[in-house]
Amino acid sequence: MTILLVKSGGPGAIEEWRAAFATVRPDLDVRWWDDPSVDPLAVRYALVWAPEPGRLKTYPNLRLVISSGAGVDHLAGDTMLPDVPIVRLGAPEAVWRMREYVALSVLHLHRLWHRFAANQRARVWDELPNPEAPERRVGVMGLGQLGAAALDALRPFGFPLSGWSRSPKALPGVRCFADMRGLKPFLAQCDILVCLLPATPETNGILNAETFAALPRGASVVNAARGSLLVEADLLAALDSGHLEAAVLDVFETEPLPPDSPLWLHPCITITPHVASFPGRPARARFAAEVITAFEAGRALPNLFDPKRGY
Ligand code: NDP
Ligand code: OXD
């Protein structure tokens, strides 16, 4: 039997993975990463999250790697990656989840929900007048599968929309900016900035003091990308100076976020524990099974990781 090796969710998750794959690809022998009875020569596929660097290279017949998350920064640091296709998670459920998360976060910031929450705790009745959607410009950094889907989700609300990517893009109803030359003009017209960039050497620390200063006064920020993109101290300074209004953060430099982080109790910060788009195991197994089937049939693979680009 063909072995699919799984490293995602810990050893306790393997029965759920087996059950999920049994409904879509019952022919696969689904094994836990550290199962001592696995013959390394029989491993054809791997579904992984943060495998030990160098380990994937030890399976000589490995043909395909699937990342259990859409981000592949957990693999990008492995200097001994095997020369096989690496597919990033692209389950429709993951995309729906991110659409929900971005719509929820943008509406939360648009309607000053953090202030109403604080006022409720203080028993303060204050309508807090705030602009209507056509006066609230929303910009998304990263126009890949998630950024484009997030913009789709925001379209019905009537916000003026814009986006920023590495290469030029054209999206209906979205003012598109590209590369470093487009960054400052893009930022200057974002009242709410949503970050959905991958973690690469180029994007490391991109949400920093300079970026925040380029946003209009009173702007807010959503980071659902990676913690390494955000300079947390710069965000705190921009919020405390009043230049930024609020932030919604799903990802952090250190996860879980340490209990002593000043981010936890900041009145203008809303925190979620890296859940923006994580779909359940059955959805990820369905996606992985479709990719394996496409690979075996010689069809083009979706969401291929390009090690040269780093995403
Ligand atoms: P994609 O690879 O589909 O899209 C990435 C986008 O970012 C592309 O538009 C790309 O530009 C742009 N980009 C990359 N580098 C740069 C750069 N240096 N400057 C400007 N633009 C750049 O990724 P996804 O949409 O699938 O995912 C994005 C990220 O979201 C993931 O890498 C991951 O970190 C994060 N994520 C977070 C989750 C969560 O639960 N919080 C869940 C899933 C993903 P171009 O179009 O020109 O290539
Ligand atoms: C991720 C994911 O890459 O959850 O963060 O898919």
Side-chain angles (χ1 to χ4, degrees), residues 90-142:
E93 293 82 349
V95 179
W96 300 338
R97 298 284 249 184
M98 188 57 90
R99 285 168 59 101
E100 292 168 359
Y101 189 88
V102 172
L104 177 67
S105 304
V106 167
L107 291 175
H108 167 108
L109 294 166
H110 169 54
R111 297 298 297 269
L112 305 179
W113 222 243
H114 59 292
R115 288 190 182 237
F116 286 120
N119 284 354
Q120 178 179 346
R121 284 190 291 274
R123 301 169 195 229
V124 171
W125 185 273
D126 180 348
E127 287 94 351
L128 296 175
N130 56 84
E132 283 160 13
E135 276 78 56
R136 190 83 83 185
R137 299 158 299 174
V138 181
V140 175
M141 300 176 97

Side-chain angles (χ1 to χ4, degrees), residues 185-248:
F186 163 73
L187 294 170
Q189 49 86 72
C190 289
D191 299 311
I192 297 178
L193 177 70
V194 178
C195 184
L196 282 171
L197 291 166
T200 67
E202 288 75 38
T203 62
N204 190 45
I206 194 165
L207 298 176
N208 57 28
E210 201 182 334
T211 296
F212 299 142
L215 292 169
R217 189 169 179 81
S220 292
V221 173
V222 180
N223 185 19
R226 281 291 181 269
S228 60
L229 275 63
L230 173 68
V231 182
E232 293 175 357
D234 289 1
L235 175 70
L236 289 167
L239 289 168
D240 292 342
S241 74
H243 182 68
L244 291 186
E245 166 68 28
V248 174

Side-chain angles (χ1 to χ4, degrees), residues 49 67-74 89 94 146 224-226 251 274 277-279:
W49 180 262
S67 163
S68 191
V72 278
D73 39 306
H74 63 102
L89 185 74
L146 297 177
R226 281 291 181 269
V251 285
H274 199 146
S277 103
F278 215 49

Side-chain angles (χ1 to χ4, degrees), residues 88 143-146 164-167 169 196 198 224 250 277 311:
R88 306 179 308 105
L143 299 176
Q145 62 164 353
L146 297 177
W164 181 69
S165 53
R166 210 168 63 119
S167 55
K169 294 271 177 311
L196 282 171
D250 184 55
S277 103
Y311 66 97

